[in-house]
Amino acid sequence: MAIRSDITQQHSKVSLNTSHDARDHSMTTPNSTPPADAHGHAAPAFAVARPEVARPAGHPAPGEAIPPTAITVRNFSSWYGSFQALHNLELDVPFGEVTALIGPSGCGKSTFLRWMNRMNDTIVSARAEGTLDLHGTDLLAKATDVVELRRRVGMVFQKPNPFPKSIHDNVAFGPRLHRSMSSGDLEDLVEQSLRAAALWNEVKDRLKASALGLSGGQQQRLCIARAIAVGPEVLLMDEPCSALDPRSTAAIEDLISQLAETYTIVIVTHNMQQAARVSDRTAFFFEGRLVECDETERIFTRPANKQTEDYITGRFG
Amino acid sequence: MIDAGADAPTALNAERGQPASRRTRTLLNRGFLLLCLFATSMAVVLLAILLFSITIKGLPWIVDFSNLKASFVDGGDGFAGWKHWVRWEFFTEYTSRKPKDAGIRAPLWGSIWVCAICAAAALPIGVGTAIYMEEFATSNRFTRFIQTNIRNLAGVPSIVYGILALTAFARMFGLFGTSNDPSLFFGYAFHNEYRTVAGHLVTVPVSTVGDRVMVAGEDGIPHEQVVESASGGLRNGLARWSIWTAPPAPPRPLRDGDAALLHVIEPDGREVVTAVTVRVLADDLAAPSIDGPPATVSAKNASSPTRTSSTSWWSMALPFGGSVLAGGLTLMLVILPIIIISSQEAFRAVPSSLRQASLAMGATTWQTVRRVTLPAAIPMIMTGSILAISRAIGEAAPLLVLGVPLFISDTPVNLMSEFTVLPLQIYNWAGRPQADFHAIAAAAIIVLLAVLLTFNALAVIIRQKLHTPLT
């Protein structure tokens, strides 16, 4: 955390003259006052709250020097019809870390994210070639069970999209899809998921109330709770804070840092300070190509590529 | 304007417009406003005239004004006696040659039956089609072709559906014989009906080849016998259900020894049915009437029985003929495109973010439909469907083509029953020369309008109450 706040401070220096508004600068200060405190409660101890059923297999032991690779990407290209959206990506998404995908709009980072749990299957013209491998599972193979894949690779969307059901039923939705559980187990899982998403204390008295009555930030944390209730190995986040106010953003970012202890997280963001704050590694995309991928600290301090430097200092994009 | 010159800018020309034009424009505006007001009020005035004339004509046949007056003016029971204000016989009586005795019992029940069958058939097919088109099908040449066809079908005049239904449902392309002589049916029991000398009714059940029937033997002891030929086997077949693959044998003369049921109408109106053995007299005219215990009945007119059939609630026959099932399916054809289109709109109104959320958690398409999109779309589907069904209630033309009888003195008891509906009854009554029939037609219109308004109100209530925000 200390390293990250250093990066953030450095980054706030370089981005002083960019279009990023004062909101983001105010966001750099709460590092001294954790956002969870700002909501008037302490974030629950995460390791305790994790449900046994949802623990991903093969999580690296603490202190392991080089984390194994969760998702291996080799010579990966993608098309929408005749338009090539991604060109020959080569990337390793490390296990148990937060990988941020940054880049200007239309650079293909969301497309790449949506390939990792095959959400692009819903788009008729979308197709992909190359290797996309999750622990030995070829994600692109026709034979891959998309339903099982999406259970292993959860997704949180840009706009909070809770179902028009109760808070409880939103979280219970995923578990009910995949297996029949006794109601007691289900209640435990709902509580643990909500605790893991730092939402339990706010909603524990109104689990039967409609999820649509929550604030935007609470809805997004509910969506995260919903995603982790099925016990995924990887969490994909597609600009999870872009529709939220700064306070809610801070809460989500804090949550991401906690979740990173348990899950492999890939996050797409337009907010470079956010990338700097929450991620361990950052990949910079430009016009469908992966320009640079390295440790976040290095990307934001000594980027190897001129385009990366131009982008993170706000000269374009 | 003459001096403006061809090369002057148009903007300047506009400024130099004639001063009178503003007044003209104001007048034109006012004139158009009046025209629009007139057009609008035409609709309102016409509706008011319609409702007024119908109410004046028809209400006395529904409301008993003398009892209403007795309740209030003459110091009666006030609102407590509201049941006496209504002429219930208008709802409980069948139609009659005399307007005073005529009621809408048959068409009211017919409409309810047809409507229920229509809804039961149209809802699953319509919503199923919409689910396929919106949730499963990808946009390709085939689905676009279907979509275009559905939209075209919605614009087809209902009488055309009547002709289609006549071929497809009532006659079934002639594949199963005619509706009077269906080749496949079950749940029917056929009888030959005879009159006795005393005027009583004797029915002899018709049996077919292969039936095991009880036959009174020469020694007087009944024994079981298999019917060998259809024409000669008209014995006391038990009225049990079986799938008939051959038409029942034609009526034949009553014979000595036939087991039969004797129907006697008692003076108090009760019908007493007794099992008897028939003894046919040589001389019809000289035949004595029965008395004593009716173990034996003497019959006349034995050579000209009438074929009747009795049915159960599960009776079915192919083809459907002019049955209530055919009527319901006909109206299903009329409203199916409307239900499909309104259901598709309902599914389209569900935000795709909800679908994505469900799919991203590993739900299959069906799980997504079942748990997310269908529950969210149901209020709108219900609204559209109720409006479509209320249109079906008002339809007359396609059922007229189907050959629905206009004079019915029975309510439907099963899917194969004959029926008539309110619009057809109104059409029938309104076409008669007597003014009183026009009045009861107006009364039936009041009932029909009340039903339709109830349905529309129901649709509005569902739209208001059940529509929860989705995001």
Side-chain angles (χ1 to χ4, degrees), chain B residues 300-316:
Chain B
K300 67 172 184 176
N301 279 346
S303 57
S304 57
T306 317
R307 168 62 51 82
T308 60
S309 63
S310 64
T311 57
S312 317
W313 62 266
W314 37 264
S315 297
M316 278 291 287

Side-chain angles (χ1 to χ4, degrees), chain B residues 46-107:
Chain B
L46 281 178
L47 181 68
I49 291 173
L50 175 83
L51 287 181
F52 182 74
S53 72
I54 285 173
T55 311
I56 289 293
K57 255 195 208 168
L59 208 57
W61 295 85
I62 299 177
V63 177
D64 195 328
F65 283 109
S66 59
N67 278 346
L68 186 64
K69 183 166 169 281
S71 283
F72 286 103
V73 184
D74 305 337
D77 40 14
F79 279 103
W82 68 272
K83 279 184 180 171
H84 304 296
W85 309 346
V86 182
R87 271 190 77 236
W88 292 108
E89 57 265 35
F90 183 68
F91 297 93
T92 56
E93 290 298 318
Y94 293 108
T95 184
S96 164
R97 289 181 214 293
K98 285 174 278 181
K100 284 261 183 290
D101 301 336
I104 56 166
R105 179 171 180 162

Side-chain angles (χ1 to χ4, degrees), chain A residues 114 117 119 122 124 147 150-151 153 155 157 161-165 173-174 176-178 212 226 230, chain B residues 138-139 353-364 367-368 371-372 375-376 468-471:
Chain A
R114 288 166 60 85
N117 69 345
M119 284 303 282
T122 56
V124 178
V147 166
R150 288 174 184 158
R151 191 195 64 72
V153 184
M155 191 163 194
F157 293 85
N161 54 357
F163 299 121
K165 302 167 184 282
F173 184 90
R176 279 174 178 159
L177 288 177
H178 295 288
L212 300 176
R226 189 174 65 179
V230 292
Chain B
T138 50
S139 177
S353 64
L354 295 184
R355 271 181 210 101
Q356 300 249 325
S358 174
L359 290 174
M361 259 182 295
T364 60
Q367 283 177 318
T368 304
R371 298 172 192 228
V372 180
T468 49
L470 297 173
T471 47

Side-chain angles (χ1 to χ4, degrees), chain B residues 145-177:
Chain B
F145 175 72
I146 294 177
Q147 189 67 52
T148 313
N149 273 337
I150 292 169
R151 296 209 177 277
N152 284 338
L153 283 176
V156 169
S158 59
I159 196 159
V160 178
Y161 286 117
I163 292 169
L164 169 64
L166 184 67
T167 315
F169 301 138
R171 292 180 183 160
M172 292 208 163
F173 311 103
L175 290 175
F176 302 99

Side-chain angles (χ1 to χ4, degrees), chain B residues 341-362:
Chain B
I341 289 171
S342 69
S343 303
Q344 278 187 294
E345 298 290 339
F347 280 109
R348 260 178 238 149
V350 178
S352 64
S353 64
L354 295 184
R355 271 181 210 101
Q356 300 249 325
S358 174
L359 290 174
M361 259 182 295

Side-chain angles (χ1 to χ4, degrees), chain B residues 8-21:
Chain B
T10 20
L12 286 179
N13 272 342
E15 274 179 23
R16 282 185 221 162
Q18 292 174 4
S21 75

